[in-house]
Amino acid sequence: MYVVKSPLSDANLKTVSEALQGALVDLVDLALVAKQIHWNVVGQRFRSVHLQLDEVVALARKHADTVAERAAALGVSPDGRAATVAVGSGIGVTPEGWVDDTTAVGTLVEALGAVIARMRERVTATGEADPVSQDILIAATAGLEKQHWMFQAENG
């Protein structure tokens, strides 16, 4: 079997692989959380929140794919399996059943905040180890922070 060899040192590869794997888990979970709420949101702002949630799903999926492919390019097998996501995500519990629009927005503010905090730690950790991976994490964080701002403004 062919094994992809990383250009990074073993120490840097360990740092970067942990950052990329953690980012992958958080992004996959964020997409799942946003889609779950998307299906269940109700209230006067249903349509706008419903559509905004799909923006988060698309953003999280796009960056998850980029992060996973970066890991693979470095010779690290990305793990986005449900069991891995369930135990490794930094996102809290998502409400079940119908979710009123105010709660939906608040849940996304919390979820995005949790992911952003962890992403910023990963940005710092990868700065010296691999600026290419750091750049990917910076781009993902910027998109997440934009959505975080928008959801915060939604509830005032």
Side-chain angles (χ1 to χ4, degrees), residues 67-98:
V67 163
E69 289 179 354
R70 177 64 184 161
L74 293 174
V76 177
S77 175
D79 187 354
R81 297 172 299 158
T84 303
V85 172
V87 298
S89 175
I91 299 174
V93 176
T94 304
E96 63 180 85
W98 302 116

Side-chain angles (χ1 to χ4, degrees), residues 47-113:
R47 182 154 175 78
S48 63
V49 173
H50 181 79
L51 295 173
Q52 190 175 356
L53 287 161
D54 265 346
E55 291 177 21
V56 173
V57 172
L59 177 77
R61 287 178 177 167
K62 176 183 110 174
H63 287 296
D65 190 54
T66 302
V67 163
E69 289 179 354
R70 177 64 184 161
L74 293 174
V76 177
S77 175
D79 187 354
R81 297 172 299 158
T84 303
V85 172
V87 298
S89 175
I91 299 174
V93 176
T94 304
E96 63 180 85
W98 302 116
V99 181
D100 69 87
D101 51 6
T102 300
T103 301
V105 169
T107 300
L108 257 291
V109 168
E110 288 179 22
L112 285 161

Side-chain angles (χ1 to χ4, degrees), residues 18-42:
E18 288 171 0
L20 292 172
Q21 179 59 39
L24 176 61
V25 163
D26 282 347
L27 291 165
V28 168
D29 197 26
L30 180 61
L32 292 170
V33 166
K35 196 49 119 169
Q36 177 66 25
I37 295 172
H38 166 90
W39 294 323
N40 288 284
V41 66
V42 294

